């Protein structure tokens, strides 16, 4: 590991090495508002962590930091044992590790004027400089993984919301990520369609050992999908545990109130 961080105990260091994704005391302010005060957690291979918390609590900001779309102010981030952020600064490991992280957003971000294949080919062609033949093979594979193999030449306006999100997952898979960051990817979908999309994520976890961090306001979804639920409050992970404990036996006053308000 590059730049071992002095604040970590040997046990924390071991976790950083064996986990897919580790946040260690990550902070972020916008102006004078500190949105992330000190966020720490880890995601193991094949583990799905679900992030819940009030609107504005910083869930999207954290995912955006993991994906490199937002810079943290301080803290450490590890991706598969490589320290990609040290004391708030990107390290030399960042470029090599960032393709291990795939991000999928709430609103379908497929280009409508391009076919599904062209959308999938964009990053591998321009970022990885992969050959067309190999991209085609992998695009077929990725679409098969999400049950969309017959839509190689469709354009997104012809697809339903659930189909578009499945294509968005396939597009993320083209970069061969080890961990998927999903920001409210099912919030615009009907429950049965959301369940289908969730099925894709759990299949990837079971078959490929992919880990995921899912942000959702849907507590039924959270409780079905999660190996671990992380409750975000006041810029920290205030409570974490398996869904049964988080929803069935919340400990902190903030989580009790949250669970009462969203009881499903
Ligand atoms: N680029 C930015 N500039 C200034 N403030 C920002 C920026 N991005 C986010 N914020 C603020 O940071 C806070 C956290 O936002 P964030 O989007 O992370 O919350 P969230 O937990 O994802 O909320 P929601 O559940 O509504 O999606 C909000 O108060 C938001 O206004
Ligand atoms: Mg958000």
């Amino acid at each position: 590991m590059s730049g071992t961080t002095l604040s970590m105990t040997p046990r924390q260091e071991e976790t950083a090495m064996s986990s897919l994704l580790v946040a260690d005391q990550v902070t972020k302010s916008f102006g004078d508002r500190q949105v992330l005060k000190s966020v720490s957690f880890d995601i193991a291979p094949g583990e799905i962590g679900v992030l819940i918390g009030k609107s504005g609590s910083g869930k999207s900001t954290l995912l955006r930091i993991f994906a490199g779309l937002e810079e943290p102010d301080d803290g450490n981030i590890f991706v598969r044992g490589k320290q990609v952020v040290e004391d708030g600064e990107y390290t030399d490991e960042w470029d090599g590790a960032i393709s291990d992280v795939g991000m999928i957003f709430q609103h379908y971000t497929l280009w409508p004027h391009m076919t599904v294949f062209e959308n999938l080919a964009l990053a591998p062609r321009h970022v990885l400089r992969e050959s067309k033949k190999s991209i085609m093979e992998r695009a077929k594979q990725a679409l098969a993984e999400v049950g969309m193999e017959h839509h190689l030449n469709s354009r997104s306006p012809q697809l339903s919301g659930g189909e578009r999100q499945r294509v968005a997952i396939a597009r993320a898979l083209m970069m061969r990520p080890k961990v998927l960051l999903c920001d409210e990817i099912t919030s615009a979908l009907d429950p049965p369609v959301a369940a289908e999309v969730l099925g894709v994520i759990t299949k990837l976890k079971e078959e490929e050992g992919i880990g995921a961090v899912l942000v959702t306001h849907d507590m039924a979804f959270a409780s079905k999908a999660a190996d671990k639920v992380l409750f975000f409050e006041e810029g920290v992970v205030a409570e974490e545990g398996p869904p049964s404990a988080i929803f069935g036996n919340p400990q902190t006053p903030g989580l009790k109130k949250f669970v009462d308000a969203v009881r499903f």
Side-chain angles (χ1 to χ4, degrees):
M1 168 167 43
S2 75
T4 302
T5 305
L6 292 174
S7 63
M8 288 187 134
T9 63
R11 191 177 148 71
Q12 283 170 323
E13 266 184 35
E14 202 182 299
T15 304
M17 296 302 285
S18 60
S19 297
L20 276 183
L21 187 67
V22 173
D24 168 46
Q25 302 175 63
V26 172
T27 70
K28 174 76 184 171
S29 297
F30 293 111
D32 55 10
R33 173 146 191 250
Q34 194 172 27
V35 175
L36 306 180
K37 290 192 177 132
S38 179
V39 173
S40 302
F41 67 85
D42 64 274
I43 299 293
E47 184 171 51
I48 297 184
V50 174
L51 218 54
I52 59 168
K54 276 198 280 201
S55 182
S57 58
K59 305 178 298 294
S60 295
T61 301
L62 181 66
L63 289 203
R64 291 171 55 79
I65 288 175
F66 285 145
L69 300 171
E70 197 84 71
E71 269 191 59
D73 296 334
D74 205 352
N76 306 295
I77 297 176
F78 300 82
V79 176
R80 298 175 78 207
K82 292 192 182 129
Q83 185 161 12
V84 297
V85 171
E86 183 176 6
D87 299 333
E89 302 286 340
Y90 292 105
T91 69
D92 294 343
E93 303 274 18
W94 175 265
D95 285 346
I98 188 60
S99 63
D100 286 340
V101 179
M103 182 147 182
I104 305 153
F105 301 88
Q106 172 179 14
H107 296 292
Y108 325 115
T109 48
L110 304 174
W111 293 105
H113 60 288
M114 291 182 181
T115 65
V116 163
F117 170 70
E118 287 163 347
N119 269 283
L120 263 58
L122 219 51
R125 188 170 296 160
H126 295 285
V127 181
L128 303 180
R129 307 250 167 230
E130 209 175 314
S131 75
K132 282 185 190 156
K133 188 164 170 263
S134 138
I135 292 175
M136 175 58 89
E137 268 168 32
R138 292 207 305 110
K140 285 181 180 161
Q141 237 173 32
L143 287 171
E145 297 247 38
V146 300
M148 290 291 290
E149 59 274 40
H150 303 303
H151 288 279
L152 200 63
N153 297 311
S154 308
R155 283 169 209 272
S156 67
Q158 303 162 340
L159 303 175
S160 71
E163 287 171 340
R164 285 181 214 181
Q165 278 310 48
R166 284 192 275 156
V167 172
I169 296 170
R171 183 179 54 182
L173 293 178
M174 291 298 284
M175 299 300 281
R176 301 192 173 96
K178 301 293 182 295
V179 56
L180 290 176
L181 310 175
C182 304
D183 197 357
E184 300 198 41
I185 59 169
T186 57
S187 59
L189 307 176
D190 293 341
V193 181
E196 255 173 52
V197 173
L198 175 62
V200 170
I201 305 277
T202 43
K203 180 179 128 212
L204 290 168
K205 160 194 144 136
E206 280 156 18
E207 291 176 5
E208 321 253 339
I210 280 183
V213 184
L214 313 182
V215 168
T216 185
H217 284 282
D218 178 346
M219 295 307 127
F221 178 89
S223 105
K224 259 186 251 150
D227 295 304
K228 166 153 93 186
V229 181
L230 303 142
F231 174 60
F232 234 62
E233 192 187 36
E234 303 290 333
V236 298
V237 177
E239 207 168 321
E240 73 170 86
S244 56
I246 291 289
F247 297 116
N249 188 18
Q251 299 294 312
T252 54
L255 180 57
K256 279 184 188 153
K257 211 166 138 197
F258 183 86
V259 168
D260 274 344
V262 297
R263 198 163 287 287
F264 52 97

